Amino acid sequence: MNSSLERYTERVEQYASRFSRFPLFLDVTMVLALIGCAFFGTQLSFPGVVRPDTGKSLEVLLGLSCFVLLKYRTHTRTVVVVVAGVTIAAIARGYLLTPMLLAPLLAAMYWLAVLCDRRTVRLYALVVTVALLTVNLFSDGMRDLSPVLTVIGPVFWMALPLVGGSLARLRGDYLEAVKARAEHAERTREEEARLRVTEERMRIARELHDVVAHHLALANAQAGTAAHLSRSNPEQSRKILDDLTGTTSAALRELKATLGLLRQDDRPKGEGLEPAPGLARLPELIDSYRSAGLEVVVHQEGVRRPLTPGVDLTAYRIVQEALTNVAKHAPERAAHVGFTYADSRLLITVSNDGPATAVDGTSGGFGLRGMRERAQSIGGDLCAGPRPEGGFEVTTALPLQPSAAVEGESP
């Protein structure tokens, strides 16, 4: 039974959605149908009861009141007052109260329940129902019925459009709420997608900056040193040029690995790409700077412990960027790199000697900003600035075991 009712309801809704594109046609069709119902209702009476003789004037008035229903969308309360007044007048003249006669009033009450607030609906329903009951009790057309049936009939018929209209309004409110939730969810998904795209763009920008800035600064330093030694020490100059070839090759490999992450193909994950660098490649990094004429001293305190991939990559990139800044900006060709393993954090310091503002010019660029973002992405922090005794220092504290959520977000 329920399935049959659901199929019937769905079918009605389908037809309603099709014809809803022509509201004026639907309204005119409804008015014509109500006029027919009202006219047929004026022809009904109990056996032996003579229909009232109104000279057809009241029947015409009933028909005209149906046209008022064309304004139910904009003047709902006025429509109810006009149709109710004409219907009550017809019953007072002796017409039999039937659903056919009440059809225009029932339609007006239905739209009142759909379009107006509950307080207005209750007020109008109470007034119209009381008026119908009062007139119906003293009507000549109902004198053969008991007072109980005379009361039950109007109450029952008036309750139907009110209940139907309330259910239609509730259904409309429910559909609006569902639509609003769906739109909100769609906006939320779009905002989340934009946020993820922005985060991924920033991550790729940091990777490209680290790779390009490091290798270009190193290649520039090697080329400058080789040019300086080309006459005084040709052998050393050739060795530096050989290292320069390795630097540019390494730059191309890392760029290929970084840009390869943006490509979508059918290869298994990670195939053809270098693994992410870590502190295991620190000696190679230090040697590349030494070949460019930068003396790097590394010292360690505490027992070295294994790092998670996110922390390992972050530590490597921070040291790489800090040494790049030293090579680009510091007049003194020497740097100090320190690692301190504490209970739960790894403290990294990269410093150089020289004037207090030696590399302070990088504080407004992307290098320090990228290092700070990398440290914060895994739950660490980073400070950078001139040292009181001269030079510049970058200090970062990274967690040895970041939480799973933070580690999953690390670049």
Side-chain angles (χ1 to χ4, degrees):
M1 179 66 180
N2 291 335
S3 60
S4 300
L5 181 60
E6 291 177 358
R7 288 196 299 269
Y8 176 76
T9 304
E10 291 177 357
R11 190 173 301 174
V12 170
E13 291 179 351
Q14 290 176 358
Y15 287 122
S17 62
R18 292 178 183 176
F19 288 104
S20 61
R21 293 174 291 181
F22 309 99
L24 181 60
F25 172 78
L26 290 177
D27 292 345
V28 172
T29 302
M30 176 189 68
V31 167
L32 294 178
L34 292 176
I35 291 175
C37 291
F39 176 77
F40 185 73
T42 59
Q43 309 303 313
L44 298 178
S45 63
F46 286 115
V49 177
V50 180
R51 290 192 303 109
D53 185 11
T54 60
K56 303 296 183 181
S57 60
L58 196 56
E59 296 176 9
V60 173
L61 190 61
L62 275 172
L64 293 177
S65 68
C66 294
F67 283 99
V68 179
L69 286 166
L70 292 173
K71 295 293 184 180
Y72 72 87
R73 291 186 177 88
T74 56
H75 301 81
T76 309
R77 299 174 180 84
T78 304
V79 169
V80 172
V81 171
V82 172
V83 176
V86 175
T87 304
I88 291 173
I91 296 173
R93 292 297 301 271
Y95 284 103
L96 180 64
L97 190 152
T98 63
M100 304 300 291
L101 186 67
L102 289 177
L105 180 59
L106 298 181
M109 296 303 295
Y110 173 83
W111 290 115
L112 180 74
V114 171
L115 301 175
C116 295
D117 59 277
R118 295 181 179 179
R119 183 177 180 181
T120 302
V121 173
R122 291 169 184 169
L123 178 61
Y124 277 73
L126 178 62
V127 173
V128 172
T129 304
V130 170
L132 280 177
L133 289 175
T134 302
V135 173
N136 199 39
L137 285 173
F138 299 98
S139 174
D140 293 338
M142 305 295 290
R143 66 175 181 267
D144 293 336
L145 291 180
S146 66
V148 176
L149 294 178
T150 304
V151 171
I152 291 177
V155 172
F156 175 77
W157 292 115
M158 289 298 296
L160 286 180
L162 295 176
V163 172
S166 299
L167 292 177
R169 185 182 61 194
L170 290 176
R171 178 177 174 81
D173 294 341
Y174 170 76
L175 293 178
E176 287 294 329
V178 171
K179 182 180 179 181
R181 287 197 298 269
E183 292 176 351
H184 176 71
E186 184 65 23
R187 288 195 300 270
T188 303
R189 284 194 296 269
E190 292 177 356
E191 292 173 359
E192 183 178 356
R194 285 195 295 268
L195 179 60
R196 290 184 178 276
V197 169
T198 301
E199 291 176 349
E200 184 65 13
R201 186 171 65 245
M202 293 299 296
R203 186 188 71 81
I204 295 171
R206 285 196 300 268
E207 288 291 333
L208 290 176
H209 174 272
D210 291 344
V211 172
V212 173
H214 161 64
H215 288 97
L216 286 182
L218 186 58
N220 180 68
Q222 289 173 332
T225 304
H228 179 71
L229 298 175
S230 60
R231 294 185 178 181
S232 60
N233 194 340
E235 188 65 26
Q236 182 66 18
S237 177
R238 283 195 298 271
K239 183 178 183 303
I240 294 175
L241 290 176
D242 292 339
D243 294 337
L244 178 59
T245 303
T247 300
T248 55
S249 298
L252 291 175
R253 286 197 303 271
E254 289 204 32
L255 280 176
K256 180 181 179 182
T258 302
L259 297 177
L261 296 176
L262 302 178
R263 298 183 180 274
Q264 300 292 333
D265 52 27
D266 298 330
R267 293 180 302 176
K269 184 178 180 180
E271 182 181 336
L273 302 178
E274 287 188 353
L279 292 182
R281 293 177 54 180
L282 185 62
E284 178 184 344
L285 179 68
I286 300 300
D287 290 340
S288 65
Y289 282 105
R290 286 173 177 166
S291 67
L294 179 65
E295 287 298 324
V296 182
V297 179
V298 181
H299 63 275
Q300 175 182 317
E301 296 181 11
V303 180
R304 183 173 181 177
R305 278 175 276 175
L307 305 177
T308 60
V311 176
D312 200 19
L313 173 62
T314 300
Y316 178 86
R317 290 302 190 194
I318 289 176
V319 173
Q320 181 187 57
E321 179 62 24
L323 290 177
T324 299
N325 288 339
V326 173
K328 289 165 58 178
H329 302 285
E332 299 292 335
R333 308 296 291 171
H336 305 274
V337 180
F339 297 92
T340 302
Y341 289 86
D343 293 336
S344 60
R345 302 181 81 79
L346 168 62
L347 182 66
I348 303 175
T349 59
V350 181
S351 60
N352 67 283
D353 300 325
T357 57
V359 293
D360 191 38
T362 63
S363 60
F366 296 105
L368 291 180
R369 185 189 307 176
M371 287 191 289
R372 187 171 290 109
E373 290 175 352
R374 282 186 178 278
Q376 292 174 352
S377 69
I378 60 171
D381 50 46
L382 183 139
C383 299
R387 299 194 305 170
E389 62 272 22
F392 198 85
E393 183 176 72
V394 175
T395 303
T396 182
L398 305 178
L400 292 176
Q401 294 292 336
S403 62
V406 175
E407 176 70 13
E409 297 173 359
S410 63

